[in-house]
Amino acid sequence: MSVDPNRPMNILDALCPSRDVFVDLADKWVLLMLASLREFGERDGIVLRTVDVKMAPPLVLYELTELGREIAEETRALCTWTEKRTATVYEARAAYDRRQAAD
């Protein structure tokens, strides 16, 4: 698959090639992050967990703290890199596949 160099990259667009590259980069961590959100996030001051016991069942809300917002902003750099370098990654994949097919 090739990437149209004139197409603006938008990692939030499910049909954008940058999304495909980002998913490949991110999928190894997503489940671990979700699984550890409560322990890691709360303990390290990244996530604030609030429980409203007046609700039935209790309502649990999560929000980013200032520290969490900071790491979210830093993560944006990975998104920007992915959007910028998607065509290069696709070219590298195609070159690799051609080499493998030749062997």
Side-chain angles (χ1 to χ4, degrees):
M1 176 179 189
S2 63
V3 176
D4 178 358
N6 297 316
R7 179 186 177 152
M9 293 290 127
N10 179 352
I11 205 160
L12 299 178
D13 176 358
L15 300 177
C16 182
S18 68
R19 176 75 163 261
D20 176 57
V21 173
F22 183 76
V23 167
D24 278 355
L25 295 172
D27 72 350
K28 293 172 180 66
W29 300 105
V30 172
L31 292 177
L32 286 173
M33 288 179 64
L34 289 174
S36 66
L37 180 62
R38 181 174 179 185
E39 286 79 15
F40 170 77
E42 284 186 88
R43 183 170 182 247
D44 290 342
I46 293 172
V47 173
L48 177 63
R49 180 176 180 264
T50 307
V51 179
D52 184 351
V53 295
K54 296 175 192 168
M55 303 290 291
L59 177 65
V60 181
L61 300 173
Y62 292 91
E63 65 181 296
L64 294 174
T65 63
E66 182 178 333
L67 191 61
R69 288 189 295 277
E70 180 183 339
I71 190 62
E73 185 60 34
E74 294 295 328
T75 302
R76 182 68 189 139
L78 177 59
C79 297
T80 299
W81 179 91
T82 301
E83 291 169 354
K84 185 170 81 173
R85 293 303 199 175
T86 293
T88 305
V89 171
Y90 270 71
E91 290 166 11
R93 287 177 180 177
Y96 176 86
D97 291 347
R98 285 191 299 274
R99 287 192 306 272
Q100 293 303 309
D103 289 345

mmCIF file of all heavy atoms in Angstrom, residues 4-53:
data_model
loop_
_atom_site.group_PDB
_atom_site.id
_atom_site.type_symbol
_atom_site.label_atom_id
_atom_site.label_comp_id
_atom_site.label_asym_id
_atom_site.label_seq_id
_atom_site.Cartn_x
_atom_site.Cartn_y
_atom_site.Cartn_z
ATOM 1 N N ASP A 4 -0.579 8.514 -0.163
ATOM 2 C CA ASP A 4 -0.690 9.732 -0.967
ATOM 3 C C ASP A 4 0.037 10.857 -0.239
ATOM 4 O O ASP A 4 -0.372 11.251 0.854
ATOM 5 C CB ASP A 4 -2.164 10.078 -1.158
ATOM 6 C CG ASP A 4 -2.394 11.350 -1.943
ATOM 7 O OD1 ASP A 4 -1.412 12.022 -2.335
ATOM 8 O OD2 ASP A 4 -3.564 11.677 -2.169
ATOM 9 N N PRO A 5 1.134 11.385 -0.818
ATOM 10 C CA PRO A 5 1.895 12.426 -0.130
ATOM 11 C C PRO A 5 1.120 13.724 0.047
ATOM 12 O O PRO A 5 1.490 14.562 0.867
ATOM 13 C CB PRO A 5 3.119 12.626 -1.024
ATOM 14 C CG PRO A 5 2.714 12.113 -2.356
ATOM 15 C CD PRO A 5 1.691 11.049 -2.117
ATOM 16 N N ASN A 6 0.035 13.882 -0.701
ATOM 17 C CA ASN A 6 -0.772 15.106 -0.589
ATOM 18 C C ASN A 6 -1.886 14.986 0.443
ATOM 19 O O ASN A 6 -2.550 15.968 0.751
ATOM 20 C CB ASN A 6 -1.372 15.464 -1.955
ATOM 21 C CG ASN A 6 -0.294 15.769 -2.964
ATOM 22 O OD1 ASN A 6 0.671 16.471 -2.662
ATOM 23 N ND2 ASN A 6 -0.423 15.211 -4.150
ATOM 24 N N ARG A 7 -2.088 13.782 0.946
ATOM 25 C CA ARG A 7 -3.148 13.574 1.935
ATOM 26 C C ARG A 7 -2.669 14.036 3.304
ATOM 27 O O ARG A 7 -1.627 13.591 3.790
ATOM 28 C CB ARG A 7 -3.516 12.103 2.021
ATOM 29 C CG ARG A 7 -4.596 11.863 3.066
ATOM 30 C CD ARG A 7 -4.883 10.406 3.281
ATOM 31 N NE ARG A 7 -5.862 10.294 4.348
ATOM 32 C CZ ARG A 7 -6.716 9.317 4.461
ATOM 33 N NH1 ARG A 7 -6.721 8.353 3.581
ATOM 34 N NH2 ARG A 7 -7.564 9.291 5.460
ATOM 35 N N PRO A 8 -3.418 14.912 3.944
ATOM 36 C CA PRO A 8 -3.034 15.289 5.306
ATOM 37 C C PRO A 8 -3.206 14.097 6.241
ATOM 38 O O PRO A 8 -4.188 13.372 6.157
ATOM 39 C CB PRO A 8 -3.996 16.421 5.667
ATOM 40 C CG PRO A 8 -5.049 16.446 4.613
ATOM 41 C CD PRO A 8 -4.606 15.588 3.476
ATOM 42 N N MET A 9 -2.234 13.897 7.099
ATOM 43 C CA MET A 9 -2.288 12.798 8.049
ATOM 44 C C MET A 9 -3.080 13.233 9.284
ATOM 45 O O MET A 9 -2.922 14.350 9.759
ATOM 46 C CB MET A 9 -0.880 12.375 8.469
ATOM 47 C CG MET A 9 -0.068 11.756 7.359
ATOM 48 S SD MET A 9 -0.686 10.134 6.902
ATOM 49 C CE MET A 9 -0.868 10.355 5.150
ATOM 50 N N ASN A 10 -3.936 12.348 9.744
ATOM 51 C CA ASN A 10 -4.737 12.607 10.944
ATOM 52 C C ASN A 10 -4.906 11.286 11.667
ATOM 53 O O ASN A 10 -5.702 10.445 11.259
ATOM 54 C CB ASN A 10 -6.090 13.200 10.579
ATOM 55 C CG ASN A 10 -6.950 13.469 11.800
ATOM 56 O OD1 ASN A 10 -6.618 13.081 12.915
ATOM 57 N ND2 ASN A 10 -8.057 14.125 11.589
ATOM 58 N N ILE A 11 -4.170 11.116 12.720
ATOM 59 C CA ILE A 11 -4.153 9.852 13.451
ATOM 60 C C ILE A 11 -5.517 9.482 14.037
ATOM 61 O O ILE A 11 -5.785 8.324 14.316
ATOM 62 C CB ILE A 11 -3.060 9.902 14.536
ATOM 63 C CG1 ILE A 11 -2.605 8.507 14.874
ATOM 64 C CG2 ILE A 11 -3.507 10.655 15.753
ATOM 65 C CD1 ILE A 11 -1.281 8.461 15.525
ATOM 66 N N LEU A 12 -6.406 10.455 14.191
ATOM 67 C CA LEU A 12 -7.735 10.177 14.740
ATOM 68 C C LEU A 12 -8.726 9.713 13.674
ATOM 69 O O LEU A 12 -9.823 9.269 14.002
ATOM 70 C CB LEU A 12 -8.267 11.423 15.457
ATOM 71 C CG LEU A 12 -7.411 11.890 16.639
ATOM 72 C CD1 LEU A 12 -8.005 13.147 17.250
ATOM 73 C CD2 LEU A 12 -7.248 10.799 17.675
ATOM 74 N N ASP A 13 -8.346 9.797 12.390
ATOM 75 C CA ASP A 13 -9.184 9.328 11.299
ATOM 76 C C ASP A 13 -8.932 7.830 11.105
ATOM 77 O O ASP A 13 -7.827 7.423 10.755
ATOM 78 C CB ASP A 13 -8.835 10.115 10.030
ATOM 79 C CG ASP A 13 -9.584 9.640 8.800
ATOM 80 O OD1 ASP A 13 -10.369 8.668 8.867
ATOM 81 O OD2 ASP A 13 -9.367 10.249 7.741
ATOM 82 N N ALA A 14 -9.953 7.015 11.312
ATOM 83 C CA ALA A 14 -9.781 5.558 11.247
ATOM 84 C C ALA A 14 -9.319 5.081 9.879
ATOM 85 O O ALA A 14 -8.708 4.022 9.769
ATOM 86 C CB ALA A 14 -11.088 4.864 11.624
ATOM 87 N N LEU A 15 -9.567 5.847 8.831
ATOM 88 C CA LEU A 15 -9.173 5.442 7.486
ATOM 89 C C LEU A 15 -7.807 5.995 7.072
ATOM 90 O O LEU A 15 -7.319 5.687 5.991
ATOM 91 C CB LEU A 15 -10.235 5.890 6.480
ATOM 92 C CG LEU A 15 -11.635 5.313 6.722
ATOM 93 C CD1 LEU A 15 -12.623 5.875 5.719
ATOM 94 C CD2 LEU A 15 -11.608 3.800 6.672
ATOM 95 N N CYS A 16 -7.204 6.781 7.911
ATOM 96 C CA CYS A 16 -5.913 7.387 7.596
ATOM 97 C C CYS A 16 -4.801 6.355 7.771
ATOM 98 O O CYS A 16 -4.775 5.629 8.766
ATOM 99 C CB CYS A 16 -5.663 8.593 8.496
ATOM 100 S SG CYS A 16 -4.114 9.427 8.136
ATOM 101 N N PRO A 17 -3.855 6.284 6.824
ATOM 102 C CA PRO A 17 -2.746 5.337 6.976
ATOM 103 C C PRO A 17 -1.931 5.557 8.249
ATOM 104 O O PRO A 17 -1.368 4.602 8.789
ATOM 105 C CB PRO A 17 -1.886 5.594 5.734
ATOM 106 C CG PRO A 17 -2.775 6.273 4.761
ATOM 107 C CD PRO A 17 -3.798 7.014 5.564
ATOM 108 N N SER A 18 -1.870 6.791 8.732
ATOM 109 C CA SER A 18 -1.115 7.029 9.966
ATOM 110 C C SER A 18 -1.737 6.282 11.134
ATOM 111 O O SER A 18 -1.045 5.864 12.057
ATOM 112 C CB SER A 18 -1.016 8.528 10.279
ATOM 113 O OG SER A 18 -2.269 9.070 10.620
ATOM 114 N N ARG A 19 -3.039 6.079 11.097
ATOM 115 C CA ARG A 19 -3.730 5.326 12.149
ATOM 116 C C ARG A 19 -3.226 3.891 12.179
ATOM 117 O O ARG A 19 -2.974 3.331 13.244
ATOM 118 C CB ARG A 19 -5.235 5.379 11.896
ATOM 119 C CG ARG A 19 -6.083 4.571 12.840
ATOM 120 C CD ARG A 19 -6.188 5.246 14.214
ATOM 121 N NE ARG A 19 -7.279 4.709 14.960
ATOM 122 C CZ ARG A 19 -8.468 5.274 15.073
ATOM 123 N NH1 ARG A 19 -8.726 6.414 14.490
ATOM 124 N NH2 ARG A 19 -9.406 4.711 15.783
ATOM 125 N N ASP A 20 -3.066 3.293 10.996
ATOM 126 C CA ASP A 20 -2.559 1.928 10.896
ATOM 127 C C ASP A 20 -1.169 1.817 11.510
ATOM 128 O O ASP A 20 -0.885 0.890 12.271
ATOM 129 C CB ASP A 20 -2.534 1.517 9.419
ATOM 130 C CG ASP A 20 -1.928 0.151 9.224
ATOM 131 O OD1 ASP A 20 -2.414 -0.821 9.821
ATOM 132 O OD2 ASP A 20 -0.955 0.053 8.454
ATOM 133 N N VAL A 21 -0.307 2.760 11.202
ATOM 134 C CA VAL A 21 1.045 2.736 11.758
ATOM 135 C C VAL A 21 1.000 2.934 13.263
ATOM 136 O O VAL A 21 1.669 2.238 14.025
ATOM 137 C CB VAL A 21 1.928 3.808 11.083
ATOM 138 C CG1 VAL A 21 3.279 3.911 11.770
ATOM 139 C CG2 VAL A 21 2.110 3.487 9.608
ATOM 140 N N PHE A 22 0.191 3.873 13.725
ATOM 141 C CA PHE A 22 0.099 4.150 15.153
ATOM 142 C C PHE A 22 -0.406 2.928 15.914
ATOM 143 O O PHE A 22 0.103 2.594 16.982
ATOM 144 C CB PHE A 22 -0.804 5.350 15.407
ATOM 145 C CG PHE A 22 -0.864 5.724 16.851
ATOM 146 C CD1 PHE A 22 0.186 6.400 17.449
ATOM 147 C CD2 PHE A 22 -1.953 5.398 17.628
ATOM 148 C CE1 PHE A 22 0.143 6.740 18.788
ATOM 149 C CE2 PHE A 22 -2.006 5.722 18.971
ATOM 150 C CZ PHE A 22 -0.956 6.399 19.541
ATOM 151 N N VAL A 23 -1.399 2.242 15.360
ATOM 152 C CA VAL A 23 -1.935 1.052 16.019
ATOM 153 C C VAL A 23 -0.844 0.001 16.171
ATOM 154 O O VAL A 23 -0.720 -0.637 17.219
ATOM 155 C CB VAL A 23 -3.160 0.505 15.248
ATOM 156 C CG1 VAL A 23 -3.530 -0.892 15.713
ATOM 157 C CG2 VAL A 23 -4.335 1.441 15.413
ATOM 158 N N ASP A 24 -0.024 -0.185 15.129
ATOM 159 C CA ASP A 24 1.080 -1.137 15.232
ATOM 160 C C ASP A 24 2.035 -0.749 16.346
ATOM 161 O O ASP A 24 2.552 -1.606 17.061
ATOM 162 C CB ASP A 24 1.860 -1.208 13.918
ATOM 163 C CG ASP A 24 1.193 -2.113 12.902
ATOM 164 O OD1 ASP A 24 0.186 -2.767 13.224
ATOM 165 O OD2 ASP A 24 1.700 -2.166 11.770
ATOM 166 N N LEU A 25 2.293 0.545 16.492
ATOM 167 C CA LEU A 25 3.213 0.993 17.529
ATOM 168 C C LEU A 25 2.607 0.893 18.923
ATOM 169 O O LEU A 25 3.300 0.602 19.891
ATOM 170 C CB LEU A 25 3.616 2.450 17.276
ATOM 171 C CG LEU A 25 4.425 2.708 16.009
ATOM 172 C CD1 LEU A 25 4.589 4.199 15.796
ATOM 173 C CD2 LEU A 25 5.771 2.028 16.099
ATOM 174 N N ALA A 26 1.333 1.122 19.011
ATOM 175 C CA ALA A 26 0.700 1.266 20.319
ATOM 176 C C ALA A 26 0.093 -0.013 20.887
ATOM 177 O O ALA A 26 -0.064 -0.111 22.091
ATOM 178 C CB ALA A 26 -0.380 2.344 20.239
ATOM 179 N N ASP A 27 -0.225 -0.981 20.064
ATOM 180 C CA ASP A 27 -1.037 -2.092 20.563
ATOM 181 C C ASP A 27 -0.367 -2.898 21.665
ATOM 182 O O ASP A 27 -1.034 -3.498 22.472
ATOM 183 C CB ASP A 27 -1.486 -3.002 19.431
ATOM 184 C CG ASP A 27 -0.376 -3.853 18.844
ATOM 185 O OD1 ASP A 27 0.799 -3.631 19.171
ATOM 186 O OD2 ASP A 27 -0.685 -4.749 18.056
ATOM 187 N N LYS A 28 0.941 -2.913 21.725
ATOM 188 C CA LYS A 28 1.616 -3.693 22.758
ATOM 189 C C LYS A 28 1.439 -3.090 24.148
ATOM 190 O O LYS A 28 1.611 -3.761 25.146
ATOM 191 C CB LYS A 28 3.102 -3.809 22.427
ATOM 192 C CG LYS A 28 3.350 -4.648 21.185
ATOM 193 C CD LYS A 28 4.797 -4.588 20.776
ATOM 194 C CE LYS A 28 5.073 -5.404 19.560
ATOM 195 N NZ LYS A 28 4.440 -4.933 18.354
ATOM 196 N N TRP A 29 1.102 -1.841 24.217
ATOM 197 C CA TRP A 29 1.031 -1.149 25.501
ATOM 198 C C TRP A 29 -0.386 -0.873 25.967
ATOM 199 O O TRP A 29 -0.626 -0.686 27.152
ATOM 200 C CB TRP A 29 1.798 0.173 25.409
ATOM 201 C CG TRP A 29 3.229 -0.062 25.074
ATOM 202 C CD1 TRP A 29 3.832 0.141 23.864
ATOM 203 C CD2 TRP A 29 4.233 -0.590 25.927
ATOM 204 N NE1 TRP A 29 5.145 -0.213 23.929
ATOM 205 C CE2 TRP A 29 5.426 -0.666 25.184
ATOM 206 C CE3 TRP A 29 4.244 -1.005 27.253
ATOM 207 C CZ2 TRP A 29 6.609 -1.136 25.722
ATOM 208 C CZ3 TRP A 29 5.436 -1.467 27.787
ATOM 209 C CH2 TRP A 29 6.591 -1.532 27.022
ATOM 210 N N VAL A 30 -1.320 -0.821 25.057
ATOM 211 C CA VAL A 30 -2.668 -0.390 25.413
ATOM 212 C C VAL A 30 -3.279 -1.257 26.498
ATOM 213 O O VAL A 30 -3.766 -0.749 27.504
ATOM 214 C CB VAL A 30 -3.576 -0.351 24.171
ATOM 215 C CG1 VAL A 30 -5.019 -0.091 24.561
ATOM 216 C CG2 VAL A 30 -3.094 0.717 23.208
ATOM 217 N N LEU A 31 -3.250 -2.564 26.324
ATOM 218 C CA LEU A 31 -3.865 -3.443 27.325
ATOM 219 C C LEU A 31 -3.159 -3.345 28.666
ATOM 220 O O LEU A 31 -3.802 -3.358 29.713
ATOM 221 C CB LEU A 31 -3.890 -4.885 26.825
ATOM 222 C CG LEU A 31 -4.820 -5.128 25.641
ATOM 223 C CD1 LEU A 31 -4.717 -6.578 25.187
ATOM 224 C CD2 LEU A 31 -6.247 -4.767 25.983
ATOM 225 N N LEU A 32 -1.833 -3.247 28.631
ATOM 226 C CA LEU A 32 -1.104 -3.094 29.891
ATOM 227 C C LEU A 32 -1.477 -1.787 30.584
ATOM 228 O O LEU A 32 -1.635 -1.747 31.802
ATOM 229 C CB LEU A 32 0.406 -3.134 29.640
ATOM 230 C CG LEU A 32 0.974 -4.506 29.324
ATOM 231 C CD1 LEU A 32 2.441 -4.379 28.921
ATOM 232 C CD2 LEU A 32 0.821 -5.433 30.503
ATOM 233 N N MET A 33 -1.614 -0.737 29.811
ATOM 234 C CA MET A 33 -1.970 0.549 30.412
ATOM 235 C C MET A 33 -3.381 0.503 30.994
ATOM 236 O O MET A 33 -3.609 1.004 32.094
ATOM 237 C CB MET A 33 -1.842 1.664 29.375
ATOM 238 C CG MET A 33 -0.390 1.975 29.056
ATOM 239 S SD MET A 33 -0.193 3.260 27.825
ATOM 240 C CE MET A 33 -0.891 4.648 28.692
ATOM 241 N N LEU A 34 -4.301 -0.095 30.262
ATOM 242 C CA LEU A 34 -5.665 -0.186 30.780
ATOM 243 C C LEU A 34 -5.723 -1.052 32.031
ATOM 244 O O LEU A 34 -6.391 -0.707 33.008
ATOM 245 C CB LEU A 34 -6.604 -0.738 29.716
ATOM 246 C CG LEU A 34 -6.900 0.198 28.549
ATOM 247 C CD1 LEU A 34 -7.716 -0.526 27.492
ATOM 248 C CD2 LEU A 34 -7.606 1.452 29.022
ATOM 249 N N ALA A 35 -5.006 -2.165 31.991
ATOM 250 C CA ALA A 35 -5.014 -3.067 33.141
ATOM 251 C C ALA A 35 -4.405 -2.424 34.376
ATOM 252 O O ALA A 35 -4.804 -2.706 35.499
ATOM 253 C CB ALA A 35 -4.267 -4.356 32.802
ATOM 254 N N SER A 36 -3.434 -1.556 34.158
ATOM 255 C CA SER A 36 -2.749 -0.956 35.297
ATOM 256 C C SER A 36 -3.228 0.447 35.623
ATOM 257 O O SER A 36 -2.692 1.088 36.516
ATOM 258 C CB SER A 36 -1.242 -0.932 35.033
ATOM 259 O OG SER A 36 -0.952 -0.066 33.965
ATOM 260 N N LEU A 37 -4.235 0.914 34.931
ATOM 261 C CA LEU A 37 -4.698 2.286 35.112
ATOM 262 C C LEU A 37 -4.986 2.614 36.571
ATOM 263 O O LEU A 37 -4.520 3.620 37.095
ATOM 264 C CB LEU A 37 -5.952 2.548 34.271
ATOM 265 C CG LEU A 37 -6.542 3.944 34.368
ATOM 266 C CD1 LEU A 37 -5.536 4.977 33.860
ATOM 267 C CD2 LEU A 37 -7.822 4.024 33.574
ATOM 268 N N ARG A 38 -5.710 1.749 37.226
ATOM 269 C CA ARG A 38 -6.072 2.057 38.606
ATOM 270 C C ARG A 38 -4.843 2.098 39.514
ATOM 271 O O ARG A 38 -4.597 3.085 40.203
ATOM 272 C CB ARG A 38 -7.076 1.036 39.135
ATOM 273 C CG ARG A 38 -7.487 1.334 40.544
ATOM 274 C CD ARG A 38 -8.567 0.421 41.011
ATOM 275 N NE ARG A 38 -8.917 0.741 42.384
ATOM 276 C CZ ARG A 38 -9.754 0.062 43.092
ATOM 277 N NH1 ARG A 38 -10.374 -0.961 42.584
ATOM 278 N NH2 ARG A 38 -10.013 0.410 44.331
ATOM 279 N N GLU A 39 -4.057 1.021 39.503
ATOM 280 C CA GLU A 39 -2.908 0.964 40.396
ATOM 281 C C GLU A 39 -1.827 1.965 39.993
ATOM 282 O O GLU A 39 -1.355 2.747 40.790
ATOM 283 C CB GLU A 39 -2.314 -0.452 40.427
ATOM 284 C CG GLU A 39 -3.156 -1.443 41.196
ATOM 285 C CD GLU A 39 -4.355 -1.945 40.408
ATOM 286 O OE1 GLU A 39 -4.407 -1.769 39.176
ATOM 287 O OE2 GLU A 39 -5.271 -2.503 41.047
ATOM 288 N N PHE A 40 -1.428 1.916 38.751
ATOM 289 C CA PHE A 40 -0.338 2.777 38.282
ATOM 290 C C PHE A 40 -0.765 4.238 38.263
ATOM 291 O O PHE A 40 -0.100 5.103 38.799
ATOM 292 C CB PHE A 40 0.089 2.339 36.872
ATOM 293 C CG PHE A 40 1.019 3.300 36.210
ATOM 294 C CD1 PHE A 40 2.355 3.343 36.562
ATOM 295 C CD2 PHE A 40 0.570 4.163 35.232
ATOM 296 C CE1 PHE A 40 3.226 4.220 35.947
ATOM 297 C CE2 PHE A 40 1.423 5.048 34.617
ATOM 298 C CZ PHE A 40 2.758 5.073 34.976
ATOM 299 N N GLY A 41 -1.892 4.479 37.624
ATOM 300 C CA GLY A 41 -2.335 5.853 37.432
ATOM 301 C C GLY A 41 -2.610 6.590 38.725
ATOM 302 O O GLY A 41 -2.178 7.717 38.920
ATOM 303 N N GLU A 42 -3.308 5.958 39.565
ATOM 304 C CA GLU A 42 -3.620 6.612 40.850
ATOM 305 C C GLU A 42 -2.379 6.731 41.725
ATOM 306 O O GLU A 42 -2.094 7.779 42.288
ATOM 307 C CB GLU A 42 -4.682 5.808 41.602
ATOM 308 C CG GLU A 42 -6.081 5.975 41.041
ATOM 309 C CD GLU A 42 -7.057 5.271 41.942
ATOM 310 O OE1 GLU A 42 -7.535 5.904 42.895
ATOM 311 O OE2 GLU A 42 -7.346 4.086 41.694
ATOM 312 N N ARG A 43 -1.642 5.652 41.834
ATOM 313 C CA ARG A 43 -0.482 5.635 42.725
ATOM 314 C C ARG A 43 0.565 6.653 42.306
ATOM 315 O O ARG A 43 1.225 7.271 43.142
ATOM 316 C CB ARG A 43 0.134 4.237 42.731
ATOM 317 C CG ARG A 43 1.305 4.106 43.678
ATOM 318 C CD ARG A 43 1.696 2.640 43.821
ATOM 319 N NE ARG A 43 2.782 2.521 44.770
ATOM 320 C CZ ARG A 43 4.006 2.134 44.449
ATOM 321 N NH1 ARG A 43 4.297 1.819 43.204
ATOM 322 N NH2 ARG A 43 4.934 2.051 45.366
ATOM 323 N N ASP A 44 0.739 6.823 41.001
ATOM 324 C CA ASP A 44 1.766 7.726 40.501
ATOM 325 C C ASP A 44 1.256 9.146 40.278
ATOM 326 O O ASP A 44 1.989 10.004 39.805
ATOM 327 C CB ASP A 44 2.350 7.185 39.200
ATOM 328 C CG ASP A 44 3.192 5.940 39.439
ATOM 329 O OD1 ASP A 44 3.596 5.698 40.595
ATOM 330 O OD2 ASP A 44 3.449 5.224 38.463
ATOM 331 N N GLY A 45 -0.002 9.385 40.591
ATOM 332 C CA GLY A 45 -0.526 10.736 40.481
ATOM 333 C C GLY A 45 -0.889 11.154 39.070
ATOM 334 O O GLY A 45 -0.991 12.340 38.777
ATOM 335 N N ILE A 46 -1.125 10.180 38.186
ATOM 336 C CA ILE A 46 -1.460 10.484 36.798
ATOM 337 C C ILE A 46 -2.974 10.523 36.591
ATOM 338 O O ILE A 46 -3.477 11.315 35.815
ATOM 339 C CB ILE A 46 -0.792 9.457 35.863
ATOM 340 C CG1 ILE A 46 0.729 9.650 35.921
ATOM 341 C CG2 ILE A 46 -1.296 9.575 34.441
ATOM 342 C CD1 ILE A 46 1.517 8.594 35.215
ATOM 343 N N VAL A 47 -3.672 9.662 37.321
ATOM 344 C CA VAL A 47 -5.120 9.550 37.177
ATOM 345 C C VAL A 47 -5.774 9.777 38.535
ATOM 346 O O VAL A 47 -5.304 9.285 39.558
ATOM 347 C CB VAL A 47 -5.510 8.152 36.645
ATOM 348 C CG1 VAL A 47 -7.013 7.960 36.646
ATOM 349 C CG2 VAL A 47 -4.936 7.937 35.256
ATOM 350 N N LEU A 48 -6.857 10.530 38.512
ATOM 351 C CA LEU A 48 -7.665 10.727 39.720
ATOM 352 C C LEU A 48 -8.921 9.882 39.561
ATOM 353 O O LEU A 48 -9.643 10.004 38.573
ATOM 354 C CB LEU A 48 -8.036 12.206 39.881
ATOM 355 C CG LEU A 48 -8.943 12.535 41.059
ATOM 356 C CD1 LEU A 48 -8.239 12.193 42.370
ATOM 357 C CD2 LEU A 48 -9.330 13.992 41.020
ATOM 358 N N ARG A 49 -9.156 8.993 40.517
ATOM 359 C CA ARG A 49 -10.322 8.109 40.498
ATOM 360 C C ARG A 49 -11.277 8.572 41.589
ATOM 361 O O ARG A 49 -10.907 8.671 42.756
ATOM 362 C CB ARG A 49 -9.881 6.670 40.748
ATOM 363 C CG ARG A 49 -11.013 5.661 40.753
ATOM 364 C CD ARG A 49 -10.412 4.253 40.916
ATOM 365 N NE ARG A 49 -11.422 3.246 40.934
ATOM 366 C CZ ARG A 49 -11.963 2.722 42.039
ATOM 367 N NH1 ARG A 49 -11.566 3.131 43.230
ATOM 368 N NH2 ARG A 49 -12.890 1.789 41.951
ATOM 369 N N THR A 50 -12.509 8.835 41.188
ATOM 370 C CA THR A 50 -13.525 9.289 42.124
ATOM 371 C C THR A 50 -14.705 8.325 42.068
ATOM 372 O O THR A 50 -15.167 7.976 40.986
ATOM 373 C CB THR A 50 -14.014 10.705 41.758
ATOM 374 O OG1 THR A 50 -12.879 11.562 41.649
ATOM 375 C CG2 THR A 50 -14.965 11.248 42.787
ATOM 376 N N VAL A 51 -15.190 7.901 43.222
ATOM 377 C CA VAL A 51 -16.325 6.987 43.289
ATOM 378 C C VAL A 51 -17.494 7.714 43.948
ATOM 379 O O VAL A 51 -17.371 8.238 45.055
ATOM 380 C CB VAL A 51 -15.975 5.717 44.095
ATOM 381 C CG1 VAL A 51 -17.181 4.783 44.169
ATOM 382 C CG2 VAL A 51 -14.769 5.024 43.510
ATOM 383 N N ASP A 52 -18.630 7.730 43.258
ATOM 384 C CA ASP A 52 -19.852 8.310 43.802
ATOM 385 C C ASP A 52 -20.719 7.154 44.288
ATOM 386 O O ASP A 52 -21.391 6.483 43.511
ATOM 387 C CB ASP A 52 -20.581 9.121 42.737
ATOM 388 C CG ASP A 52 -21.818 9.819 43.272
ATOM 389 O OD1 ASP A 52 -22.220 9.548 44.433
ATOM 390 O OD2 ASP A 52 -22.385 10.637 42.531
ATOM 391 N N VAL A 53 -20.667 6.893 45.604
ATOM 392 C CA VAL A 53 -21.398 5.756 46.175
ATOM 393 C C VAL A 53 -22.889 6.027 46.307
ATOM 394 O O VAL A 53 -23.661 5.118 46.618
ATOM 395 C CB VAL A 53 -20.801 5.343 47.540
ATOM 396 C CG1 VAL A 53 -19.400 4.820 47.368
ATOM 397 C CG2 VAL A 53 -20.840 6.500 48.525
#
